[in-house]
Amino acid sequence: MAESEKKEEIASEVLTEETLDNIQHVNNPVLDVPAIEKKYLGKPTSYVKSNNAFIFSDGKASVEVKVFADEIIRVRLAPQSSFLDDFSYALKKDLDLHPTSFSLEETDDAYLVKTAVVVCRIQKADFLVVFENVEGKVFNADHKPLHWEENVDFGGYYVYCTKKATADEAFFGLGDKSSNLNLRGRRFSNWNSDTYGFGFNQDPLYKTIPFYIGVTGGDAYGIFFDNTFKTFFDFAAEKNDRTSYWSEGGEMQYYYIHGPQMMDVVKRYHDLTGTHYMPPLWAIGYHQCRWSYYPEANVRDVADQFRKRQIPCDAIYLDIDYMDGYRCFTWNKRYFPDPKKMIADLAANGFKTVVMIDPGIKVDEDYWVFKEGKENRYFCRRGDDYFMEGYVWPGRCQFPDYTNPKVREWWGTLYRGLVEDGVAGVWNDMNEPAVFGRGTFPGDVRHYYEGFRGSHRKAHNIYGMQMVRSTYDGLKKLQRNKRPFTITRAAYAGTQRYSSVWTGDNIATWEHLRIGILQLQRLSVSGLSFCGTDIGGFTGEPDGELYTRWMQFGVFSPFMRVHSAGDTRDREPWSFGPEWEAICKKFIELRYKLLPYIYTAFWRQHKYCEPILRPIALLEQEKASNLQREEEFAFGHNILVSPVLNPGQQSKIVYLPEGDWYYYFDHTIYHGGQELQIDTPLDKMPIFVRAGSVIPEYPVMQYTGEKHIDALRLNIYFGEGRQDSDLYIDHGDTFAYEQSVYNEKHFIVEGKKDCLTVMQNQEGLYNERFDTYKIYFIGLPFNVNKIDVDGVSISVLRDEDNMPYFSVEKEFRKLTIA
Ligand code: MIG
């Protein structure tokens, strides 16, 4: 044996022995290497103050309690007293939160971090954290001290928080989960997943919104666990008296958000994570989608059919087949020889064109997007520096690292060609990210993570969000500050700042229609108000009745789009025969009549953080029975609906909140605060308007902006007492509203037995293009003798249907009718 070989043999032997030694040392108590097990906080023994925060220590671990606002307090845990970088993709950039005042008080048994509204009590005996209001009512309390477990494979810790759950406590939120509205008794995980044909209670789904609302004793609070790793929530499922949440990495970091109203919790969650910008008006019209409309003749034919049949429609979608071999940012020239011309013709006919863009970029040296991405090192790499490669529609693909601002910037510019072709909106799909075969990226893939670095374990749940963020930013620049329209399938908390969402690949079944109404209500209270389902169901075949009932629900979905898989039969509103077509047409027309009302609801969402869909629990949380209601919900402030969810259903029981409500179709008045049996013939659904409200209405148009409106119709529903309504109008397509170029009107309606007054005031700099209101009164309990507008009496007019109305200058301040 050569000398050198001998040495090597010895070396390897020695190495083996040493390694064995080391292993023994792990279990040698003298060397103080801790065993791997769950560790709990001990007793807090000291604290320091820094800015708005207090850091408590048990001698080893630290807990930071930071006051963000009177009602928002954040708790963070550092097992070895060093906190992780304080960076979050969820929070909006210009957080504008300040407590009015706060202080720390020490008593014999606790430290009390106090704001004007909340007391956060840190108990000296056990480090339990308890949130109370200033009167001492407990809203939320730890069941165990914060705990963690070292993660030897990946570093860091599994981090846990266990809260008490009271016997009556109900839980809401968590994004797109397909479970009952009240989450109690279930466990969930958050790991964005491509879940084609998902089922009731299937989990995880496409989105990660680690925010929930608890309601106990009639009071509400929220918890936002801002952790992007795979997170888990257990709502009194494993043990009836506790709710816990934990993660496979990152930091135990959560925001306690005080209520006591659920509406306030939801609004404050938006204060942290932002709202959706005002969508272009056309984006809230009716949209027609299909996997896929091609070739060009097919697209044109579908569009023509809409106009011929006089069914309103604002947008038509091109799914992946418009691309050349599924290469993003290219056209299949065989199917679409002159896209620019086609899109221009569609636009002339009132149609916007929306196209699909996926994250997977085909590995193809002759493809400019791939080449640019490769040259600039924009694609994700594995732990050992190989490229992250996986198969998706185009075949073998690489994937941009959207957590790098440079990559996002680049990706944004790639839309230039499509925008020049006239494309009006972009649909981002497969961004969980989805990869054929293993489902998604392996955990070792590396991400830039805004310079904070992370593996895919940390970046997975925000990948889709950063993709659509980059799409949004890019479109905004390319379209010269016109409002972009984007839609994404995957999302993390805060995605509403960049995009609308849809619920992914649902199924054409009645059960899925029901799941859809649960998901949209849940998304809406989770910050993602601009949401919709694939109307009719993506996969499977609906019959005319299911399709039509789903269309009815679609009118009251913030995002209204029919979509279906490629292997299904036609899904246009006329595809099921004239009987169903007539009903669908009527309901799509209703959507267009309600557009000014819906647009106002979007404004209330954008400016005042009010969710668009509001579950009954959010409207009347004090009644325990309301916490279980799922089928009826408010759509904006003044309309309440209860979609029909069963075949052959002749009537349904509908709960109406307190107050008086008008049945939309015949103006019958119902007293709320009770359940009522409502007839549900196929051409109707339970739609109710709150007494005292002002509902603006557009004439039916085939697409938004088709007709000039010279007199805006207002339907004023009589109600006793006072009721407020709003109307928001702006240019419809630019960000000028950020400079106050809008008109926000407030109506205060006060009804008495023999008279009704309507006061109007307004703010903003926009001058609407109509001059008068055409006012219709509904449900007046008295005969009209006199109508007075700012001191001048006016007379009744009759419209083409012989209905009485009043023509009133748009600037009126006070209108009295007696
Ligand atoms: O692997 O682009 O959820 O809406 O039509 C399927 C084709 C990819 C999934 C989306 C669906 C879309 C389809 N996509």
Side-chain angles (χ1 to χ4, degrees), residues 157-159 188-193 203-204 208 210 225 227-233 245-250 440 456-462 492:
Y157 305 88
Y158 296 91
V159 290
F188 300 95
S189 59
N190 290 312
W191 185 252
N192 294 354
S193 304
D203 184 62
T208 293
F225 177 26
N227 182 305
T228 64
F229 285 77
K230 186 185 275 182
T231 47
F232 300 84
F233 286 80
Y245 43 93
W246 66 98
S247 175
E248 292 191 347
T440 191
H456 196 64
R457 297 172 63 250
K458 175 168 151 187
H460 176 82
N461 284 333
I462 50 90
Y492 182 71

Side-chain angles (χ1 to χ4, degrees), residues 328-330 364-373 410 414:
C328 290
F329 310 105
T330 67
D364 171 0
E365 296 292 345
D366 296 326
Y367 169 36
W368 55 284
V369 178
F370 176 73
K371 277 200 324 219
E372 279 183 34
W410 168 69
L414 296 178

Side-chain angles (χ1 to χ4, degrees), residues 88-95 174-175 192 207-211 224-228 255 266 268-277 461-470 472-473 486 488 490-501 523-530 605-606:
S88 164
Y89 276 118
L91 299 188
K92 59 180 194 174
K93 233 196 290 146
D94 40 359
L95 262 199
L174 234 59
N192 294 354
K207 299 173 184 71
T208 293
I209 315 294
F211 162 66
F224 172 38
F225 177 26
D226 188 8
N227 182 305
T228 64
Y255 296 80
V266 173
R268 286 171 191 140
Y269 170 74
H270 284 86
D271 288 340
L272 288 169
T273 60
T275 60
H276 195 281
Y277 55 97
N461 284 333
I462 50 90
Y463 187 83
M465 174 195 196
Q466 295 312 302
M467 178 194 190
V468 79
R469 171 187 185 181
S470 130
Y472 166 81
D473 286 338
T486 50
T488 179
Y492 182 71
T495 301
Q496 66 267 20
R497 300 195 299 274
Y498 316 114
S499 186
S500 66
V501 298
L523 284 165
S524 203
V525 301
S526 305
L528 299 166
S529 264
F530 197 1
Q605 177 277 148
H606 169 69

Side-chain angles (χ1 to χ4, degrees), residues 194 291 319-320 356 393 427 429-430 436 489 502 504-505 534 538 561 563:
D194 177 4
W291 179 14
D319 204 329
I320 44 178
M356 160 77 76
W393 290 105
W427 172 24
D429 184 22
M430 303 291 275
F436 295 160
R489 195 170 70 175
W502 94 105
D505 299 340
D534 282 353
F538 179 70
R561 182 185 73 162
H563 181 42

Side-chain angles (χ1 to χ4, degrees), residues 140 163-174 180-186 188 211-216 221 223 233-237 240-244 262 522 525 617 627-628:
N140 176 264
K163 300 281 188 186
K164 285 181 181 143
T166 58
D168 74 331
E169 198 160 357
F171 302 94
F172 302 93
L174 234 59
N180 287 104
L181 217 48
N182 177 357
L183 303 166
R184 189 179 181 112
R186 300 212 64 84
F188 300 95
F211 162 66
Y212 73 86
I213 302 148
V215 183
T216 166
Y221 67 89
I223 296 285
F233 286 80
D234 183 300
F235 296 103
N240 195 35
D241 63 347
R242 57 199 87 156
T243 282
S244 45
M262 194 166 155
R522 197 192 314 289
V525 301
L627 304 181
Q628 312 305 334

